[in-house]
Structure formats: structure tokens, C-alpha cells
């Protein structure tokens, strides 16, 4: 078939390369150009090449009428996907995708992003079997929900065997009503990170290629002067040139002129006029049927017949002149396709507005899809009509349940246009519904403005109350949370029924970040008003939130409430879940349980496409893995968390992710990088006016400065963090752990009275709600404080108790710092050998963490002792300690757990010990080491 594509040899080579690379990971091909330049011809060749290469091609060829019908392109793409694939998707993804594709009826209102997650999962499942190509022709007519889902999926491709093939119109006349923000092909590089993208921007074809094209397509051979004239007038555009040649050959274009000795037709003023004249010569009834086809979303012989009161057979007969003229194609099964989008646009423009509206009304009667039915009704209306507006509102609800929030907003815009002014109450309820959909679509600024306008005119008390509740929620994301709380408190005074009161109390408990006493009060009131049997998910959230607030207010740990809330939440099977059980386990230093729960929640959030929760949960895991010494995983997750937060475009998520990445970098000794991340995190926290985010950033800054040894800066950052969180009413800062650094810094600068007061608060927290971290760091700080007061014996006793308490705390950095301080105190007491042993233990721990700054500090302490490290074959204190535990019968993993170092560090230390002792087996350790003290 190469002879049918002329003048495009370089482009064909790119297409062959695209097909050849399908097995090598994600790759894209964008074919772009003006209307009629030959994009679809090359796109079809690329589809055939991919099919020949063994790929499964998912095709969509949207047309202008489909641009407003949500998920119409996605329906086409998944038309031939086997049913078995849907069964492999996780339940929420399967439901969302099947609802979007009209495979099942909607039973809820899912998050729109779940559809994108489901598309990604489905593509990965298909690509596991053989390469997959997502092929979209005329991409400028992609409906927005389909485009959003495809962008979500393609952006996350990594090494899957997936090709993306896009053909789209890109020129000055790119359709204004296209839903896309820009050409999809231009965005492919950002969607295919790590992959390659070829872009074909089609220009004019050569004169020789045009000669071949005219001869093979039209069966005529133009004289050379005529051919040159056609090429010049068409600017090398194949479609335009064929139309001119067709007009010349059939004498459609009136008028003649002399060019280079030949008689040529006068060129029409525009391609539209030329196409219009091509349509005008067809029989009137044929033109009427073409109009119905051009207005229809999915034209078929049966659809056109139904709208025109004809039989399918008579329609086929009446359309024959158009088919013979190359205006329309009749496919197998009766599907109709107008030969080119420009022809379809010309057919619609040629008809009067009266005929177009009449055509839309007839198509509305036949449309089974409520959304398509409502859109045709709206296009057929020439005046406000309550029934049509209500149909549009109903269609908007259905679009939202399919995850097409943007389409729902468009439908409500149409409904608002057609809503009679006389129905003020109904119109205002419609505006409220539209504002809610706008907010859910992510456009908080527009939602805010819409609600402000509504509240200036709204009359119905119930509508006003709901508008105020929604506006307060919007303000939390788009303004000052204090303003939101004031608005909600006012709304609460006018809420009559318990269900609405409970909803307001629950939201206030979430909004009162700056006043935890108020948050706790509203949380308790919400729980009292919620029936746990009728709404277990909401009750569980309220119950656990109340327990968390009570803990933070210093009133103890209600473990039973968390356990009951977790059980209720899991039993109810809700996907809108609370992550508090995982956070609670982390606050209580039960890191294994916290990790298990967090990873389960993370998987749920990914399946739902909940980007904000993914960013938060990754951040929690980063902190947890950092604390527990799994630095490789912490580093990887930290970068992933920042990437996920940046994709949400929400400064609060990014602030938390940057703060936690700063902590990881500080642990690993990348202090300047850590400072940069932490500073940016603090700026974003200040921007959002979030006390928690500011406190988190400052607590990390305190640790960074402690790593530098800059105790004055540590005290400044930690004092500021304490002042910020104290303003919220916090008494137990469960999410922040800057307190030990703060106390140590004030001891180091000599402010013992303040250090004493801070330590007493720290110890009181442990008495109210005991936790290993509070105990270890409290004893460590008590040892430093008593030593600073001159009581070295008491300091040593507190240090020894801190070391004993380390067995219940799986935080290697804290263990290393505790052993380091123990060594310093023992050295001060003149116990140089005991100090060396303590320093060696700290050295092994910091070495296992790859904590270069703390390792260097510890080695300087060892060198300052002035003790000989012994001959080359003598074990160091750390080697001796590890070898002794191994000789006692402990496994490498058990030794690592006892010393709070990694199994790899144990393995490397034993290897050095074997070499020095001249042995090869573990069994020989006991005899070579001799009796152990």
C-alpha cells in the first residue's frame, strides 16, 4: 500500500521505527498539522504497522459532535477489550471504569480520578501479554473526561510495552470548542518520562506526489501548468488540492481564467466555499440526511433513518450520491463516517439554525444515553425551557457518578442558560449544585466566586445553609481556615436537623487546626449525633479523631477508641477511610504495625487515584523508614513523595513531603540539600498558615542544625516550633519530635532553668501516655542535665537506664545518639575503656545508617580518648561486641536487632573479625574469643 501514500517517505520511516520500538517500553508518536494535510492517512498506516508488529491497538476516532459527550473516546478505546480483563481490576477501579463505559449503572459518586487509575491498571494488564498501542485520531475532538483519564495513565508509564499514537489538528484554525488545554501531542514528552517521542509536523507534499495523488484518487491527469496552479493554490495541502482538482475536473467551480496558456477555473475565496459548493450539488434529501449524520454523535444508517422517518435501506439509497462523491463512507454494519471533519463542519454550517435545531430535537428523541439526550435537547432549544434544564441537571448528576466532573459542570452551565428566570428558588439550587461540581473539579477560585455571588441573592434558608457549608469547605483550600470556622459556626446556629448538625460538627473538628480544644469539642459532639449502625464509617472517623485530639491535648491515650474505630472502618468496607490507626501506631512507636497499615492504606489510595492521600501516606512512610534506619527505602520513597505532592499542585502536601525528604537527607549527611528542602517546606507552611506544617519544617531544621553542631540555631528553630504548636492548644505534640533536640540545645548553651522546664514537660507526657521514644530521650536529656549540674553519678545512672530502654525502641539514630552521649559521660567520669565501648557501639550504628556526619563526630570522640586501636589483628570494640553476641548463639538478624544496626553491618563486621582472628566458621568464635565479661 506504499503507493497510496506519496511524498511522505521520511514520515513512513518514522512510523516503521515507532512500530519496531513497541517492545522496548513507552514510546509516543504525534502526527500534527493543519486540516487536510494527511494526518489520518499516516495515522492509519501507523495503526496497521503496529498491528503487523503484534500489538493490540486500542482505537478512538472522535468527531466534533462527540467532544461534549463524556468518556465517548474511552468507550471506543475499550470496545474490543475482553470482559475477563475487567475482572482482574481491583473493585473500586472496576466499578469506576465500568460505570464510565456504561457497562453497569452508577450506584454512587466515585472520585473522577479513579477512572484514570483503572485505565492505567487495565493498560498494564494488557501490556503484560503483548504490546499495546493507544491510538487516537482527530485528538482535538477528545472529550475532556477521556483525555483526563488518558493523561493520568500515560503520565505514569515507566517500562510497560505501550505506544501512544496521536493525530491531531494543530494550526491557527485549531477548533475553539476543543476541550483540550493544548495539543495532546505537544504534551507527550511529559507523559512519557524516560521514553521517547517522535513528532511529525506535516508540511506540503511535493508537486510530483500531488500528480500521483490526483491520478490515483480521481482518475484524471492534470496538465503540468494546471497541476502547478493547483499545488500553488492549495499550498501543498493534499485535501485542498484534491478538492480543487475535483472541481476543475467536474467544472463545479464557475468562471475561467488563463494561466500559462491553459484555461483554469477561478479559485473560490476559501476552502469552506469550495466544500460548500461540493455539498450544494447533491440532492436536497441527501443533504438533509447528511446534516443528521453530521449532528449525530455516533451516526449509523439506523440512527439517521429513525431521525428522518425513513428505512435504513432508503437512507443508504438516498446517501449514495454523497458516497459516490466521496463525502460520506458507509462501513460494515451500517456505521457512517463523513469523509473529513471539514466536510462535516461544512454540512452543519450550510444548514439554517432552524434545521439544525430540528435535527438535534429528532436525535434527542432517539438517544438512549441521558447525557447525549440532554445535550441534543439543549442544542435544539431556542428559549429557556424548565424541562430541558432539568434533564440537563439530571444528566450532570449521571456524568458525575461516572467520574466526569468537568462534563457535569458543562451540563450544568447549559442548564443554567436554559433555566427560566421566574423559578428563582430552583435556579439558585442549580447554582449551588454547579458550585459544588466546580469545587470537586478542582477549580476552587471559581467555586468561591460562584458561592459569593449566590449568597448575595439566595432566598431559601436551606439553600443558604448548604451554600455556607460548601463555601467554608472551599475556603479551607482557598483561603484562611479561621474564616471557614467562623462561617461554619454561624451555619451551625441555623442547622435544625441532627444529621446536618453532625456534618457541621465533623467538618469543624477538621477545620479547627489552629484551636484543638474547639476541634475536640466539635469532634465529641459529632460522635454523639452519629448513629454507628446507620453510618459506621463516619462514626469510626469521628471516634478516632476524638481520641487523637484528646491525646494531643494531653489527656491520655484512648487505645480502645482507636481499636473500635479501626474495626468499624474495616468492617464497613468504606473506601473513604481514615488513616488514624496507622498514625496512632506510629505515635506509639509500634512501627511494624504502622508500616503494615500505612502500606495497605497506600495501596487503597492508589487504586482510588486519591493523589493527595498518596502524597501524605508516602510522607508518613518516609519518616517511619528513616526513623527505623531503612535509609535506601526512605530515600526512594522521599523522592516519590515529593513527586506525588508536586502533581497535586497543593502547597500543603508539598510542604510535608519536602520536610520529610529533608530529614532523610540530613540523616545521610546531605546537610545543604536538607537545608534547602526544609527552608522551602517552611515557606510553603507559612504560605498555607498551617501551624502543623510550620512545626514539622522547624523540627527538621532543628535536627539539621544539631547535625551541624550549631546548638544556638537548634534552640531558635525548636523554640519557634514549640511556640507555634502551643498556640493551637497542643500539649502532646505526637506528630513532631523536636523536643529532645530542644532540651539538649538549651543545656549546651547553658540555659539550665529553661532546659529543666522543658524536660519536665517531656517527662510528664510520658507519664500520661507512655511511649518508648519519650522514655529514652527523656532519660538521655536527664543524664545531660544532671551532668551539667555537676552530678556525674546520677547522670551515668540515667544514661544506663536510657540504654536499657533502647530495647523497646527501634530507632537507630536515637540509639546511636544515646550511646554517643553515654560515651561522653563515661569519659567524663574517667571510665575510658567503658567510654570506648560506648563510642564503638555508636560508631557501628551510625555506620549502618550511613550517617556520615554523626559517624565522623563519633570517630573524633574515639580519637580524643587517646587509646591505641591495637594491632591490625586486634578486634575493635564494635567488632568485639558483634562477635561476642554472635558467639553466644544469636543469628545475624538477632544481633542487628540487639544493637540496632542492619544485618548487612553485622555481616561485614563479622567478616573483618573472622579475618583478624584467622577463622572461617562461626563455631570457632567461642574458642578464639575466650570467656566473655
Amino acid at each position: 500500500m506504499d503507493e497510496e501514500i506519496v511524498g511522505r517517505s521520511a514520515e513512513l520511516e518514522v512510523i516503521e521505527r515507532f512500530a519496531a520500538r513497541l517492545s522496548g517500553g513507552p514510546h509516543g508518536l504525534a502526527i500534527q498539522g493543519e486540516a487536510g494535510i494527511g494526518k489520518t492517512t499516516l495515522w492509519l498506516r501507523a495503526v496497521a504497522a503496529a498491528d503487523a508488529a503484534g500489538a493490540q491497538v486500542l482505537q478512538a476516532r472522535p468527531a466534533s459532535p462527540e467532544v461534549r459527550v463524556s468518556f465517548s473516546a474511552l468507550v471506543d478505546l475499550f470496545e474490543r477489550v475482553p470482559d475477563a480483563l475487567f475482572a482482574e481490576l481491583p473493585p473500586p477501579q472496576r466499578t469506576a471504569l465500568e460505570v464510565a463505559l456504561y457497562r453497569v449503572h452508577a450506584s454512587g459518586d466515585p472520585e473522577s480520578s479513579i477512572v484514570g487509575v483503572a485505565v492505567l491498571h487495565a493498560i498494564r494488564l494488557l501490556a503484560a501479554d503483548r504490546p499495546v498501542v493507544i491510538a487516537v485520531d482527530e485528538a482535538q475532538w477528545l472529550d475532556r473526561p477521556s483525555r483526563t483519564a488518558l493523561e493520568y495513565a500515560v503520565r505514569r508509564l515507566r517500562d510497560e510495552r505501550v505506544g501512544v499514537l496521536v493525530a491531531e489538528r494543530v494550526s491557527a484554525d485549531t477548533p475553539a470548542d476543543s476541550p483540550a488545554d493544548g495539543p495532546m501531542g505537544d504534551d507527550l514528552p511529559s507523559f512519557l518520562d524516560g521514553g521517547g517521542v517522535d513528532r511529525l509536523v506535516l508540511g506540503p507534499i511535493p508537486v510530483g506526489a500531488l500528480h500521483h495523488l490526483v491520478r490515483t484518487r480521481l482518475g484524471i491527469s492534470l496538465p503540468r501548468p494546471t497541476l502547478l496552479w493547483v499545488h500553488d493554490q492549495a499550498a501543498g495541502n493534499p485535501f485542498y488540492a484534491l478538492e480543487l482538482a475535483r472541481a476543475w475536473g467536474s467544472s463545479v467551480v464557475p468562471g475561467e481564467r488563463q494561466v500559462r496558456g491553459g484555461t483554469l477555473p477561478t479559485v473560490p475565496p476559501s476552502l469552506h466555499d469550495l466544500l460548500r459548493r461540493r455539498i450544494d450539488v447533491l440532492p436536497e434529501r441527501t443533504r438533509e440526511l447528511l446534516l443528521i449524520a453530521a449532528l449525530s454523535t455516533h451516526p449509523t444508517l439506523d440512527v439517521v433513518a429513525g431521525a428522518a422517518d425513513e428505512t435504513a435501506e432508503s437512507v443508504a439509497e438516498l446517501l449514495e450520491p454523497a458516497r459516490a462523491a466521496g463525502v460520506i463512507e458507509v462501513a460494515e454494519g451500517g456505521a457512517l463516517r463523513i469523509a473529513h471533519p471539514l466536510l462535516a463542519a461544512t454540512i452543519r454550517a450550510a444548514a439554517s439554525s432552524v434545521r439544525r435545531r430540528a435535527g438535534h430535537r429528532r436525535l434527542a428523541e432517539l438517544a438512549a444515553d441521558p447525557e447525549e439526550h440532554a445535550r441534543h435537547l439543549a442544542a435544539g432549544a431556542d428559549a429557556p425551557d424548565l424541562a430541558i434544564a432539568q434533564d440537563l441537571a439530571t444528566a450532570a448528576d449521571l456524568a458525575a457518578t461516572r467520574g466526569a466532573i468537568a462534563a457535569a459542570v458543562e451540563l450544568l452551565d447549559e442548564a443554567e442558560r436554559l433555566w427560566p428566570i421566574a423559578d428563582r428558588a430552583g435556579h439558585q439550587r442549580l447554582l449551588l449544585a454547579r458550585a459544588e461540581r466546580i469545587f470537586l473539579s478542582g477549580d476552587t477560585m471559581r467555586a468561591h466566586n460562584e458561592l459569593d455571588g449566590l449568597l448575595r441573592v439566595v432566598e431559601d434558608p436551606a439553600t443558604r445553609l448548604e451554600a455556607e457549608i460548601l463555601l467554608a469547605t472551599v475556603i479551607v483550600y482557598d483561603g484562611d481556615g479561621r474564616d471557614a470556622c467562623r462561617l461554619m459556626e454561624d451555619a451551625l446556629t441555623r442547622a435544625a436537623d441532627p444529621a446536618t448538625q453532625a456534618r457541621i460538627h465533623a467538618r469543624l473538628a477538621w477545620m479547627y487546626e489552629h484551636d484543638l480544644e474547639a476541634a475536640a469539642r466539635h469532634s465529641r459532639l459529632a460522635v454523639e449525633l452519629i448513629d454507628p449502625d446507620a453510618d459506621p464509617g463516619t462514626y469510626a472517623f469521628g471516634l478516632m479523631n476524638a481520641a487523637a485530639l484528646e491525646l494531643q491535648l494531653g489527656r491520655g491515650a484512648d487505645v480502645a477508641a482507636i481499636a473500635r474505630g479501626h474495626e468499624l472502618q474495616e468492617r464497613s468496607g468504606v473506601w473513604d477511610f481514615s488513616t488514624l490507626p496507622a498514625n496512632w501506631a506510629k505515635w506509639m512507636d509500634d512501627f511494624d504495625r504502622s508500616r503494615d497499615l500505612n502500606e495497605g492504606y497506600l495501596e487503597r489510595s492508589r487504586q482510588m487515584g486519591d493523589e493527595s492521600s498518596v502524597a501524605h501516606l508516602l510522607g508518613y512512610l518516609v519518616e517511619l523508614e528513616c526513623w527505623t534506619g531503612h535509609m535506601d527505602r526512605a530515600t526512594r520513597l522521599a523522592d516519590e513523595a515529593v513527586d506525588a505532592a508536586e502533581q497535586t499542585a497543593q502547597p500543603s502536601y508539598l510542604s510535608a513531603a519536602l520536610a520529610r525528604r529533608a530529614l532523610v537527607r540530613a540523616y545521610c549527611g546531605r546537610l545543604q540539600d536538607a537545608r534547602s528542602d526544609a527552608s522551602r517546606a517552611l515557606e510553603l507552611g507559612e504560605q498555607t498558615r498551617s501551624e502543623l506544617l510550620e512545626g514539622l519544617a522547624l523540627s527538621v531544621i532543628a535536627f539539621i542544625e544539631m547535625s551541624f553542631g550549631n546548638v544556638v540555631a537548634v534552640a531558635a528553630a525548636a523554640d519557634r516550633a514549640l511556640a507555634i504548636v502551643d498556640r493551637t492548644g497542643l500539649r502532646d505534640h505526637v506528630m513532631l519530635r523536636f523536643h529532645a533536640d530542644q532540651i539538649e540545645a538549651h543545656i549546651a548553651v547553658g540555659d539550665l532553668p529553661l532546659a529543666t522546664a522543658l524536660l519536665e514537660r517531656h517527662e510528664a507526657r510520658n507519664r500520661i501516655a507512655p511511649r518508648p521514644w519519650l522514655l529514652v530521650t527523656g532519660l538521655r536529656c536527664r543524664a545531660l542535665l544532671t551532668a551539667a549540674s555537676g552530678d556525674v553519678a546520677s547522670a551515668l545512672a540515667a544514661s544506663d537506664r536510657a540504654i536499657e530502654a533502647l530495647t523497646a525502641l527501634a530507632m537507630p539514630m536515637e540509639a546511636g545518639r544515646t550511646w554517643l552521649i553515654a560515651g561522653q559521660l563515661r569519659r567524663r567520669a574517667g571510665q575510658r575503656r567503658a567510654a570506648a565501648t560506648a563510642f564503638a557501639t555508636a560508631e557501628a550504628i551510625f555506620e549502618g545508617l550511613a550517617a556520615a556526619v554523626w559517624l565522623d563526630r563519633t570517630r573524633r570522640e574515639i580519637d580524643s580518648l587517646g587509646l591505641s586501636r591495637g594491632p591490625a589483628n586486634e578486634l575493635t570494640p564494635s567488632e568485639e561486641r558483634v562477635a561476642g553476641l554472635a558467639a553466644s548463639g544469636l543469628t545475624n538478624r538477632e544481633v542487628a536487632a540487639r544493637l540496632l544496626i542492619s544485618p548487612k553491618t553485622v555481616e561485614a563486621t563479622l567478616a573483618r573479625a573472622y579475618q583478624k582472628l584467622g577463622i572461617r566458621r562461626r563455631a570457632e568464635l567461642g574458642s578464639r574469643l575466650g570467656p566473655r565479661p
Side-chain angles (χ1 to χ4, degrees):
M1 293 178 60
D2 284 349
E3 67 275 12
E4 295 184 3
I5 301 179
V6 294
R8 301 294 190 194
S9 57
E11 289 85 348
L12 290 172
E13 289 180 5
V14 174
I15 286 172
E16 293 303 318
R17 184 166 67 243
F18 169 76
R21 291 181 59 177
L22 291 174
S23 295
H27 187 64
L29 174 58
I31 305 171
Q32 300 174 322
E34 64 181 14
I37 201 68
K39 303 180 298 296
T40 295
T41 301
L42 288 173
W43 180 86
L44 289 169
R45 173 55 58 85
V47 167
D51 184 66
Q56 179 171 355
V57 183
L58 310 181
Q59 295 187 49
R61 303 183 68 182
S64 174
E66 301 170 50
V67 74
R68 304 294 182 192
V69 180
S70 57
F71 293 120
S72 58
L74 212 61
V75 170
D76 292 341
L77 286 170
F78 279 82
E79 183 179 9
R80 292 189 171 89
V81 170
D83 291 345
L85 176 121
F86 290 88
E88 296 184 54
L89 296 173
Q93 294 181 25
R94 176 178 180 176
T95 299
L97 186 56
E98 288 187 327
V99 168
L101 300 179
Y102 278 123
R103 292 170 59 95
V104 299
H105 291 293
S107 58
D109 195 355
E111 294 288 337
S112 59
S113 56
I114 306 182
V115 179
V117 180
V119 170
L120 173 62
H121 199 153
I123 290 170
R124 284 174 170 163
L125 290 171
L126 291 170
D129 180 47
R130 58 180 171 135
V132 172
V133 172
I134 304 166
V136 181
D137 188 23
E138 298 292 350
Q140 73 274 7
W141 300 125
L142 267 174
D143 62 280
R144 189 178 295 277
S146 291
R147 173 168 172 147
T148 299
L150 289 174
E151 288 179 355
Y152 181 98
V154 175
R155 190 186 303 123
R156 285 160 177 77
L157 295 174
R158 292 296 178 262
D159 55 7
E160 298 85 350
R161 299 177 298 170
V162 177
V164 182
L165 172 63
V166 172
E168 62 189 333
R169 190 188 310 177
V170 179
S171 66
D173 64 341
T174 296
D177 54 346
S178 170
D181 296 323
M184 186 174 183
D186 284 356
D187 294 337
L188 279 178
S190 64
F191 295 162
L192 297 175
D193 292 338
V197 177
D198 288 320
R199 181 171 289 102
L200 297 178
V201 181
L202 303 185
I205 63 171
V207 173
L210 176 59
H211 169 72
H212 181 82
L213 188 65
V214 171
R215 183 164 53 82
T216 56
R217 295 286 181 87
L218 302 181
I220 61 177
S221 182
L222 298 176
R224 180 70 176 176
T226 306
L227 181 67
L228 293 172
W229 175 83
V230 168
H231 187 274
D232 179 62
Q233 295 299 323
N237 184 298
F239 180 78
Y240 199 165
L242 281 172
E243 291 303 313
L244 284 171
R246 190 193 312 274
W248 182 88
S250 61
S251 300
V252 168
V253 181
E256 294 183 351
R257 57 175 292 196
Q258 292 293 118
V259 177
R260 299 183 185 179
T263 301
L264 296 174
T266 303
V267 65
S270 71
L271 177 59
H272 171 78
D273 289 343
L274 181 59
L275 295 176
R276 171 71 180 269
R277 292 169 185 174
R278 181 175 169 190
I279 300 301
D280 286 347
V281 300
L282 297 172
E284 182 178 356
R285 187 56 174 163
T286 300
R287 297 199 306 272
E288 292 172 356
L289 299 181
L290 284 175
L291 175 61
I292 294 173
L295 296 174
S296 175
T297 305
H298 298 289
T300 65
L301 289 173
D302 288 336
V303 167
V304 175
D309 291 327
E310 298 275 2
T311 65
E313 292 76 12
S314 65
V315 168
E317 184 177 344
L318 289 166
L319 286 176
E320 180 57 27
R323 191 202 63 76
V327 174
I328 197 166
E329 302 165 3
V330 183
E332 185 178 353
L336 300 175
R337 185 175 183 85
I338 296 175
H340 196 277
L342 290 178
L343 279 168
T346 300
I347 292 166
R348 290 189 292 270
S352 68
S353 59
V354 173
R355 289 179 58 196
R356 287 197 300 271
R357 286 197 296 269
H360 279 299
R361 287 194 295 269
R362 291 292 290 138
L363 287 168
E365 296 172 6
L366 300 172
D369 177 6
E371 184 180 340
E372 185 178 356
H373 168 78
R375 288 186 185 277
H376 278 305
L377 282 179
D382 59 356
D385 188 308
L386 181 59
I388 295 176
Q390 288 173 335
D391 281 349
L392 285 162
T394 300
D397 289 340
L398 292 173
T401 62
R402 297 173 66 208
I405 302 297
V409 173
E410 291 173 0
L411 287 162
L412 290 170
D413 287 340
E414 283 291 294
E416 196 271 336
R417 179 179 67 85
L418 293 173
W419 205 282
I421 297 175
D423 183 13
R424 293 174 61 84
H427 183 252
Q428 289 165 2
R429 287 193 296 272
L430 176 75
L431 293 178
L432 174 61
R434 184 174 67 174
E436 182 176 16
R437 297 302 183 196
I438 291 169
F439 171 57
L440 292 175
S441 74
D443 192 348
T444 54
M445 183 174 293
R446 182 185 170 192
H448 197 153
N449 292 336
E450 294 259 337
L451 290 165
D452 279 342
L454 175 59
L455 286 170
R456 283 195 292 268
V457 300
V458 67
E459 299 164 350
D460 177 57
T463 304
R464 171 173 289 278
L465 182 65
E466 290 299 324
E468 288 173 340
I469 293 172
L470 179 57
L471 178 58
T473 306
V474 172
I475 288 173
V476 171
Y477 290 89
D478 192 41
D480 189 338
R482 293 166 178 80
D483 293 336
C485 289
R486 283 191 291 270
L487 188 59
M488 287 287 272
E489 291 281 12
D490 182 59
L492 184 60
T493 63
R494 287 176 282 107
D497 63 289
T500 303
Q501 292 170 0
R503 183 155 55 97
I504 295 175
H505 282 305
R507 293 200 186 187
L508 280 167
W510 161 61
M511 292 175 178
Y512 264 118
E513 181 186 291
H514 58 283
D515 186 347
L516 292 192
E517 283 286 359
R521 182 177 69 256
H522 284 292
S523 187
R524 290 192 300 270
L525 291 169
V527 171
E528 291 172 5
L529 290 166
I530 299 170
D531 182 350
D533 295 324
D535 194 354
T538 304
Y539 181 82
F541 180 82
L543 185 67
M544 292 187 294
N545 193 48
L549 288 167
E550 292 296 309
L551 174 64
Q552 293 174 75
L553 288 166
R555 296 168 184 161
D558 190 347
V559 177
I562 297 296
R564 187 184 178 205
H566 174 66
E567 189 273 332
L568 278 173
Q569 179 171 269
E570 294 301 303
R571 179 154 48 88
S572 66
V574 294
W575 284 89
D576 186 14
F577 56 89
S578 167
T579 62
L580 262 172
N583 296 340
W584 185 276
K586 183 178 172 185
W587 299 339
M588 297 297 147
D589 298 339
D590 188 350
F591 300 133
D592 288 339
R593 176 169 173 75
S594 180
R595 181 183 292 107
D596 290 344
L597 289 172
N598 257 312
E599 288 177 344
Y601 295 152
L602 180 61
E603 180 60 25
R604 285 194 206 178
S605 296
R606 282 176 165 154
Q607 290 180 7
M608 293 175 64
D610 184 352
E611 297 288 351
S612 59
S613 292
V614 166
H616 271 311
L617 289 164
L618 284 170
Y620 296 151
L621 281 170
V622 167
E623 201 169 48
L624 190 149
E625 299 298 0
C626 189
W627 288 352
T628 55
H630 302 106
M631 300 311 300
D632 288 344
R633 187 164 192 247
T635 300
R636 176 175 56 80
L637 290 175
D639 290 335
E640 191 178 345
V642 171
D643 181 61
E646 286 174 337
Q647 290 179 21
T648 68
Q650 291 287 346
S652 58
Y653 305 146
L654 184 56
S655 175
L658 286 168
R660 285 161 176 144
R661 187 171 72 177
L663 181 67
V664 175
R665 289 176 166 180
Y667 265 50
C668 297
R670 297 171 55 186
L671 298 183
Q672 294 300 342
D673 289 339
R675 267 182 170 168
S676 176
D677 274 352
S679 296
R680 189 175 169 210
L682 181 58
E683 289 173 5
L684 291 168
E686 292 169 341
Q687 175 185 324
T688 59
R689 297 188 65 183
S690 168
E691 284 83 358
L692 176 59
L693 291 174
E694 290 183 64
L696 177 62
L698 288 165
S699 67
V700 175
I701 290 171
F703 176 77
I704 294 169
E705 297 303 330
M706 182 64 78
S707 301
F708 272 115
N710 188 354
V711 291
V712 173
V714 174
D719 289 352
R720 184 179 166 193
L722 183 62
I724 288 172
V725 295
D726 274 356
R727 286 201 300 267
T728 68
L730 273 171
R731 290 296 174 266
D732 193 334
H733 319 128
V734 293
M735 290 168 280
L736 306 176
R737 301 200 177 193
F738 61 85
H739 314 85
D741 291 333
Q742 183 183 26
I743 297 166
E744 287 185 33
H746 281 291
I747 293 171
V749 299
D751 192 348
L752 301 189
L754 178 56
T756 301
L758 291 171
L759 178 56
E760 288 173 353
R761 281 185 61 172
H762 194 64
E763 292 170 334
R765 291 172 62 197
N766 191 53
R767 287 193 297 272
I768 295 169
R771 279 151 282 171
W773 180 80
L774 289 173
L775 178 61
V776 168
T777 54
L779 288 168
R780 189 173 79 210
C781 290
R782 178 61 63 184
L784 286 172
L785 184 62
T786 51
S789 302
D791 188 351
V792 177
S794 296
L796 287 172
S799 173
D800 289 343
R801 289 171 57 205
I803 288 172
E804 291 173 9
L806 283 173
T807 57
L809 181 65
M811 297 180 72
M813 176 61 74
E814 297 296 352
R817 292 178 63 178
T818 302
W819 278 105
L820 178 60
I821 288 173
Q824 293 168 340
L825 293 173
R826 290 172 182 178
R827 180 186 59 200
R828 180 174 174 179
Q831 302 173 8
R832 299 175 69 200
R833 180 56 61 182
T837 301
F839 287 142
T841 304
E843 180 186 31
I845 293 170
F846 292 138
E847 189 174 23
L849 282 173
V853 173
W854 291 89
L855 182 61
D856 289 346
R857 182 179 301 179
T858 303
R859 286 174 174 167
R860 288 196 299 272
E861 294 284 1
I862 294 172
D863 292 341
S864 71
L865 287 174
L867 297 176
S868 171
R869 288 184 177 257
N873 63 348
E874 183 176 321
L875 299 185
T876 66
S878 61
E879 290 167 349
E880 189 173 1
R881 184 172 177 80
V882 170
L885 289 171
S888 71
L890 297 180
T891 66
N892 285 5
R893 187 167 296 279
E894 289 168 336
V895 173
R898 180 73 62 86
L899 297 179
L900 293 174
I901 58 179
S902 71
K904 286 186 177 180
T905 301
V906 173
E907 184 179 341
T909 304
L910 284 175
R912 294 195 300 269
Y914 288 173
Q915 185 177 13
K916 289 180 178 181
L917 295 173
I919 61 176
R920 295 185 177 181
R921 295 182 303 162
R922 198 184 197 95
E924 299 177 71
L925 274 174
S927 60
R928 294 304 306 270
L929 289 174
R932 310 302 303 153

